[in-house]
Amino acid sequence: MTTSSGHTTAILASKVKGTAVYNDQGDKIGTVEDIVLDKQSNQIMFAALGFGGLLGIGEKYYPVPWSLLDFNEDKGGYVVPLDKDRLQNAPAYDLKDLTKHDGSLGDIRAETYDYYSVSRDWH
Amino acid sequence: MTTSSGHTTAILASKVKGTAVYNDQGDKIGTVEDIVLDKQSNQIMFAALGFGGLLGIGEKYYPVPWSLLDFNEDKGGYVVPLDKDRLQNAPAYDLKDLTKHDGSLGDIRAETYDYYSVSRDWH
């Protein structure tokens, strides 16, 4: 996103992995496990969040639109504007399903963006 | 990029760092040092390539539109459709300049996409 003045801010992908994620009540709910990049366009497909211990889900990964993650300097982590219920009931997948090459990934992305009510900005 | 059938392929950001980069003559020219992500949109701003030893440039990073990098299974690395001269004369920056928060990054991205004749797909 570029502001009218052309301002934009960026972060290195290597800095993101392992960063803590908080919900909108300020509770730490998990970490960014990885970021899934479209191979052919300049699109970030989604962040893959892990809620591991806290929610007791284990190995499942939660795809979340990257644009929903707001870095909070005070917390040193990302805040997502979602409560626990919304996240706990969100679409979750095995990591291998998030980089599959069989066309199902497009469906996963569409389902994810719809779930979080984020408009589809790919083409 | 999604094909008409909805097919798309993806890769984990953590798998990309350190991957070799080849030019269109098949010569290894460097590595992907990192990927620069827009903090607020779902856009990959660019890949940051390092040509270190081979071109003798040292610490400079070359921003290249991610969509130009084509993964080649046989080589186990990315091929960019550019010759050595094109890359050697490309815009290059210190790594810290590629994550600045002062608005200059938008200019760097614009300059980079123009240099490589890649259409601007952000908004």
Side-chain angles (χ1 to χ4, degrees), chain A residues 39-61:
Chain A
K39 266 188 172 172
Q40 293 169 294
S41 81
N42 289 307
Q43 287 281 331
I44 302 165
M45 294 197 71
F46 34 69
L49 306 189
F51 300 140
L54 199 69
L55 298 181
I57 313 270
E59 300 90 341
K60 289 288 183 184
Y61 288 76

Side-chain angles (χ1 to χ4, degrees), chain B residues 39-51:
Chain B
K39 266 189 172 171
Q40 293 170 295
S41 81
N42 288 307
Q43 287 281 331
I44 302 166
M45 293 197 70
F46 34 70
L49 307 189
F51 300 140

Side-chain angles (χ1 to χ4, degrees), chain A residues 1 13-14 34 38 42 44 66, chain B residues 1 14 34 38 42 44 66:
Chain A
M1 194 175 296
S14 63
D34 220 322
D38 190 322
N42 289 307
I44 302 165
W66 168 249
Chain B
M1 194 174 296
S14 63
D34 220 323
D38 190 322
N42 288 307
I44 302 166
W66 168 250

Side-chain angles (χ1 to χ4, degrees), chain B residues 5 13 32 51 54 63 83-84 97 101 104 108 112 114:
Chain B
S5 65
V32 183
F51 300 140
L54 199 67
D83 63 24
K84 269 184 189 162
D97 292 328
H101 294 176
S104 60
I108 288 176
T112 298
D114 287 350

Side-chain angles (χ1 to χ4, degrees), chain A residues 34-47 66 98-101 103 105-107 109-110 113 121-123, chain B residues 1-3 6-14 16 35 37 42-47 64-71 78 113 121:
Chain A
D34 220 322
I35 300 172
V36 180
L37 307 176
D38 190 322
K39 266 188 172 172
Q40 293 169 294
S41 81
N42 289 307
Q43 287 281 331
I44 302 165
M45 294 197 71
F46 34 69
W66 168 249
L98 296 183
T99 53
K100 267 192 172 170
H101 294 177
L105 201 58
D107 297 337
R109 174 164 64 171
Y113 278 63
D121 59 358
W122 60 90
H123 36 259
Chain B
M1 194 174 296
T2 313
T3 64
H7 184 87
T8 185
T9 59
I11 190 165
L12 296 174
S14 63
V16 176
I35 299 172
L37 308 175
N42 288 307
Q43 287 281 331
I44 302 166
M45 293 197 70
F46 34 70
V64 172
W66 168 250
S67 58
L68 276 188
L69 275 66
D70 183 29
F71 193 77
Y78 291 100
Y113 279 63
D121 57 359

Side-chain angles (χ1 to χ4, degrees), chain B:
Chain B
M1 194 174 296
T2 313
T3 64
S4 55
S5 65
H7 184 87
T8 185
T9 59
I11 190 165
L12 296 174
S14 63
K15 302 273 188 197
V16 176
K17 190 173 175 173
T19 302
V21 177
Y22 298 84
N23 65 14
D24 63 359
Q25 288 109 46
D27 305 316
K28 185 183 168 187
I29 52 171
T31 57
V32 183
E33 298 290 347
D34 220 323
I35 299 172
V36 181
L37 308 175
D38 190 322
K39 266 189 172 171
Q40 293 170 295
S41 81
N42 288 307
Q43 287 281 331
I44 302 166
M45 293 197 70
F46 34 70
L49 307 189
F51 300 140
L54 199 67
L55 298 180
I57 313 270
E59 300 91 339
K60 290 288 184 184
Y61 288 74
Y62 289 72
V64 172
W66 168 250
S67 58
L68 276 188
L69 275 66
D70 183 29
F71 193 77
N72 183 299
E73 300 281 352
D74 291 339
K75 289 183 176 297
Y78 291 100
V79 175
V80 291
L82 302 163
D83 63 24
K84 269 184 189 162
D85 281 353
R86 191 87 186 139
L87 288 165
Q88 206 150 13
N89 296 316
Y93 303 88
D94 292 332
L95 188 59
K96 65 175 167 47
D97 292 328
L98 296 183
T99 53
K100 266 192 171 170
H101 294 176
D102 62 359
S104 60
L105 201 58
D107 297 337
I108 288 176
R109 174 165 63 171
E111 180 189 15
T112 298
Y113 279 63
D114 287 350
Y115 182 82
Y116 293 112
S117 303
V118 172
S119 64
R120 304 175 180 197
D121 57 359
W122 60 88
H123 36 257

